[in-house]
Amino acid sequence: MANIIVLDDVYDSGVLIGRILTRQGHQVTPFTEEEEALAFVAKNAPELAILDIKLKKMNGVEVLEEIKKISPKTRVIMLTGYPTLETARESIRLGASEYCVKPIDKAELEEKVAAVLGE
């Protein structure tokens, strides 16, 4: 199964996503700090990153751009509670594989993760 990171400014949200995906057999590491998540990606090159758009210091699109520079093979799913067409287009342009809207639907999340990972 896949090594996945979740970056969300709300710790409980990352933990919830982690619980859902851990039950699918994935190894999930949640982060709330952008720098820690990027350092982890540089060292571990996870197969998938799930990024909230609204973060503490950067936004999810900026983190997506950094991840693609340091680990181009890491696939990315963007997550937001404030969907806009502009953000969706920019995310896809920068290499995001999927875009999910909060609140998180467990079945939709599992389906999109499986599709992005090619399972």
Side-chain angles (χ1 to χ4, degrees):
M1 299 312 290
N3 181 11
I4 299 171
I5 69 158
V6 179
L7 175 60
D8 196 307
D9 63 326
V10 178
Y11 180 74
D12 289 344
S13 181
V15 169
L16 174 64
I17 293 170
R19 284 185 186 151
I20 292 169
L21 298 178
T22 298
R23 289 185 188 135
Q24 300 292 309
H26 300 294
Q27 181 177 346
V28 181
T29 308
F31 293 93
T32 58
E33 301 294 329
E34 297 89 333
E35 297 88 354
E36 291 175 11
L38 289 170
F40 184 89
V41 169
K43 192 172 183 180
N44 299 285
E47 286 89 357
L48 176 64
I50 299 175
L51 308 175
D52 190 12
I53 297 284
K54 185 173 178 261
L55 298 170
K56 294 179 179 177
K57 299 171 190 159
M58 302 167 74
N59 67 49
V61 176
E62 292 168 328
V63 174
L64 162 65
E65 196 168 10
E66 290 301 313
I67 285 175
K68 288 299 181 182
K69 287 178 190 171
I70 59 177
S71 181
K73 291 185 178 178
T74 297
R75 286 161 275 183
V76 176
I77 294 176
M78 303 304 289
L79 187 64
T80 185
Y82 309 96
T84 67
L85 188 57
E86 180 183 345
T87 304
R89 282 184 182 156
E90 183 69 3
S91 297
I92 299 300
R93 186 185 72 76
L94 291 170
S97 301
E98 268 292 352
Y99 192 86
C100 293
V101 177
K102 289 182 177 179
I104 298 164
D105 179 84
K106 179 180 174 283
E108 179 187 6
L109 178 67
E110 290 171 346
E111 181 180 302
K112 287 188 175 182
V113 167
V116 168
L117 292 173
E119 297 175 343

